[in-house]
């Protein structure tokens, strides 16, 4: 089945349904029945339980399995109608003249020059400045929430380098337009390549020198314009407290590259910050930038990009236009989301950094209903989307910020610059709709999930654009603690939405219908921690005390458990298989799911709980993108990086110890014949499965390199494991 949109017989895009749709639906019904039967069994045994202990154990499993059932059933929603799309950018110019292409404003976010090296930010910017797009229609805005002169310095250099890099890419039809990625491979066949490479290396060395010294020395400041710019970093200037800085680095009405073509606009913006007003993290930055860009260029299409993700294909805007320029879907189309894809990932994707469920499988499913969620980066928006639903325009206070306003003054004219500074001020949003009804939405650490969700609730549709050649390519953390802290932030942010009055289960279903509402319920993520923790400890502690808590092999209920487990796992494996992911990567993904359940989801839930009672406040901890050489080496060798004595590792290590002990003790019990294998088999299997998943943790305990689990963590975990055993001994043995 496939639908085609044509203009004079030239399709811009098509889509087709997944062949697995029917199988998915049938299986969902069968599996759901099995789960219901299991819950029914728990309810029965709860009613007939003979002791307090067995009552509590059954209750724990009833709660855990109900959560699993809830998460399972909501996850089925996107699996009902996954679709695959295809674009035909080659037809675009035949349908719309290039001179009629809409202008593009691209916003790149950065927040910390030491965690996000300015050279990476520069690479991201250069990769999109070099898009195959009419340069007079392209504007790149760098949002620097770190308010760092170092980042501005890097961009001054980048602006100069761009005048060589852009014509070089165009004349040689270079595909790799991120210089760092391009120079990683040898291009000695192209005579100019060497020259450009030397230029690039020179810039890199200079920028990195400046970063190392922590300040821009006078010897690096060449012109009067630069001197004036850096003067804004006065003595009282801190990243939390400083005036707005807007620096136009390239202006397409006057700057030209070495081949005499016009350059895209390049504008550095660091919005005003003050300790007395909340800046709403990235959401605040994006809103400030939406306004600043409105005063200067006000392009109808806006790309939001994180500094850790560069463009991997210069035709990407054309792909997005295949949808935005289709008159049939135009009026309701809010955004076109490209998946987050990553480079430098190890063969087994040890940390499940690819997050295929989140970034690919789910969006494909949601695309078959109203469209995918927004994932913060690699997303082209129609500017209009930020100002009310498709049929309910909400004007911003100032008509000059309206999405249909045409800017008729040059970007460096005093009026434009004055207004731009005014709208970047930190109290500009006071008593306005920004963050609540217009712009990117505030109130969650996952502003992306929340914003996309709210926009879809307002009636906007979205498109998932997933070309074979990844459109963007990003960095991902290469040590466990960064991964866990990142997912902890996400888990908290998602709970902030799911337990608010905008919860997808209530508000979402009402606004978008059952299927979309349920699809957004993956935001309840963190509650996975409850069943995962239960299954990581309870069967094992019971086993250590010789207590049978699951059906015997000979009972029919045993088969039901087997079916539910294998069914869920096999379904997941097939999902990964259908998008071409190896078995090994799938195994890592499910393992990381368990690891997160015992760490980031668990701690995230607790922190969210504290926050809800006003006991703690939570911030956006930017993930570090700096690569440590030793760590990189261990990453390539496939050994998991612990290194720091973080409490996040304690439940994991404890679980590893308890599972090993239980598995060993189970064998003893069976050989002694005190309790037959028949009754303990399932508990033995669960402990064995736990051990299989904990392999990197045992390695982490016995390794001796810097990335090992700190001895302190091992000791604390061993102590807790004993304490748990003792507690179980007291409660379970009577
Ligand atoms: O106060 C802040 C904090 C962060 N950022 C930027 O936000 C982006 C994302 O931060 P990062 O540390 O890379 O977080 P990730 O967890 O990798 O990001 C994912 O999750 C975020 C929400 O938690 C989304 O915003 C991102 O787009 C999504 O890729 C980066 O460009 C930062 O520079 C800001 O601009 N201001
Ligand atoms: Mn990131």
């Amino acid at each position: 089945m496939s639908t085609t949109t044509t203009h004079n017989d030239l399709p811009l895009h098509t889509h087709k349904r997944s062949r697995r749709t029917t199988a998915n639906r049938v299986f969902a019904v069968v599996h759901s029945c099995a789960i219901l039967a299991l819950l029914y069994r728990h309810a029965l045994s709860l009613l007939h339980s003979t002791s307090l202990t067995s009552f509590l154990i059954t209750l724990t499993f009833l709660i855990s399995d109900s959560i699993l059932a809830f998460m399972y059933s909501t996850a089925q929603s996107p699996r009902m109608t996954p679709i695959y799309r295809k674009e035909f950018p080659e037809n675009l110019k035949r349908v719309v003249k290039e001179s009629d292409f809409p202008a593009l404003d691209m916003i790149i976010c950065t927040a910390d020059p030491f965690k996000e090296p300015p050279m990476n930010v520069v690479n991201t910017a250069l990769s999109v400045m070099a898009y195959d797009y009419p340069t007079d229609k392209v504007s790149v805005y760098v949002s620097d929430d770190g308010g760092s002169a170092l980042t501005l310095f890097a961009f001054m250099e980048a602006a100069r380098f761009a005048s060589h890099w852009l014509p070089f890419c165009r004349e040689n039809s270079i595909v790799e337009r991120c210089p760092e990625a391009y120079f990683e491979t040898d291009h000695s066949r192209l005579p100019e390549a060497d020259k450009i490479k030397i230029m690039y290396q020179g810039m890199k060395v200079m920028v990195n020198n400046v970063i190392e010294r922590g300040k821009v020395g006078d010897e690096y400041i060449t012109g009067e314009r630069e001197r004036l710019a850096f003067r804004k970093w006065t003595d009282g200037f801190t990243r939390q407290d400083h005036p707005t800085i807007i620096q136009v680095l390239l202006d397409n009405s006057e700057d030209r590259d070495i081949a005499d073509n016009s350059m895209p606009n390049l504008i550095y913006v660091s919005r005003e910050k003050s300790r007395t007003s909340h800046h709403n993290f990235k959401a605040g930055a994006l809103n400030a930038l939406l306004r600043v860009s409105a005063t200067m260029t006000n392009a109808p299409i806006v790309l939001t990009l994180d500094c850790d993700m560069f463009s991997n294909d210069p035709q990407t805007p054309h792909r997005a236009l295949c949808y935005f320029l289709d008159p049939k879907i135009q009026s309701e189309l809010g955004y076109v989301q490209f998946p987050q894809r990553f480079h430098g990932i190890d063969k087994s994707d040890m940390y499940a950094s690819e997050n295929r469920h989140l970034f690919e499988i789910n969006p494909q499913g949601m695309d078959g209903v109203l469209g995918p969620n927004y994932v913060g980066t690699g997303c082209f928006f129609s500017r209009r989307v930020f100002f009310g639903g498709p049929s309910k325009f909400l004007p911003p206070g100032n008509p000059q910020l309206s999405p249909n306003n045409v800017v008729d003054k040059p970007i460096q004219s005093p009026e434009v610059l004055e207004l731009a500074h005014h709208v970047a001020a930190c109290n500009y949003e006071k008593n306005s709709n920004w963050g609540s009804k217009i712009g990117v939405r505030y109130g969650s650490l996952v502003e992306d999930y929340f914003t996309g969700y709210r926009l879809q609730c307002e009636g906007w549709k979205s498109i998932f654009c997933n070309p074979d050649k990844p459109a963007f390519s990003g960095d991902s953390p290469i040590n466990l603690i960064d991964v866990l802290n990142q997912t902890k932030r996400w888990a908290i942010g998602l709970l902030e939405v799911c337990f608010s009055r905008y919860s997808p289960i209530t508000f979402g279903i009402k606004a978008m219908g059952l299927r979309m509402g349920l699809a957004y319920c993956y935001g309840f993520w963190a509650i996975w921690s409850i069943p995962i923790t239960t299954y990581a400890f309870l069967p094992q502690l019971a086993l250590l005390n010789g207590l049978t808590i699951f059906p015997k092999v000979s009972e029919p209920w045993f088969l039901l458990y087997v079916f539910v487990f294998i069914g869920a796992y096999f379904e997941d494996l097939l999902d990964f298989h259908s998008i071409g992911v190896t078995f090994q990567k799938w195994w890592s993904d499910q393992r990381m799911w368990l690891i997160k359940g015992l760490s980031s989801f668990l701690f995230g839930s607790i922190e969210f709980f504290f926050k809800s009672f006003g006991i703690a406040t939570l911030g956006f901890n930017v993930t570090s993108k700096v690569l440590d050489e030793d760590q990189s080496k261990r990453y390539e060798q496939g050994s998991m990086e612990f290194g720091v004595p973080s409490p996040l590792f304690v439940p994991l290590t404890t679980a590893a110890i308890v599972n090993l002990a239980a598995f060993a003790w189970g064998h003893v019990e069976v050989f002694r014949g005190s309790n037959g294998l028949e009754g303990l088999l399932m508990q033995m299997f669960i402990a064995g499965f736990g051990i299989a998943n904990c392999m990197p943790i045992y390695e982490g305990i016995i390794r001796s390199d810097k990335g090992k689990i700190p001895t302190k963590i091992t000791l604390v975990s061993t102590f807790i494991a004993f304490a748990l055993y003792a507690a179980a001994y007291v409660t379970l043995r009577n």
Side-chain angles (χ1 to χ4, degrees), residues 59-98:
L59 186 65
T60 310
F61 279 112
L62 179 62
I63 295 172
S64 297
D65 290 353
S66 301
I67 292 175
L68 286 175
F70 170 73
M71 291 305 278
Y72 175 81
S73 56
T74 61
Q76 291 311 303
S77 167
R79 302 181 78 256
M80 296 299 100
T81 46
I83 61 169
Y84 307 120
R85 296 186 185 273
K86 204 169 147 64
E87 306 72 43
F88 305 95
E90 62 278 14
N91 289 344
L92 198 63
K93 280 188 203 159
R94 288 192 261 170
V95 176
V96 185
K97 277 195 306 221
E98 195 167 63

Side-chain angles (χ1 to χ4, degrees), residues 46 149 202 432 434 556 600 606 722:
L46 198 64
S432 77
W434 285 94
S600 25
I606 297 170
F722 270 111

Side-chain angles (χ1 to χ4, degrees), residues 306 308 340 475 486 623 625:
D306 289 347
D308 54 5
Q340 289 203 25
D475 297 328
Q486 182 189 47
T623 311
K625 284 102 187 167

Side-chain angles (χ1 to χ4, degrees), residues 341-380:
R341 301 291 294 269
F342 303 92
H343 51 257
I345 288 196
D346 73 313
K347 199 164 90 263
S348 68
D349 189 12
M350 179 167 44
Y351 300 123
S353 309
E354 291 186 350
N355 260 310
R356 294 293 194 124
H357 261 295
L358 190 61
F359 296 139
E360 199 164 352
I361 299 172
N362 263 351
Q364 275 168 349
M366 293 168 85
D367 205 13
V369 198
L370 295 179
N373 51 319
Y374 164 46
V375 294
T377 179
C379 187
F380 289 82

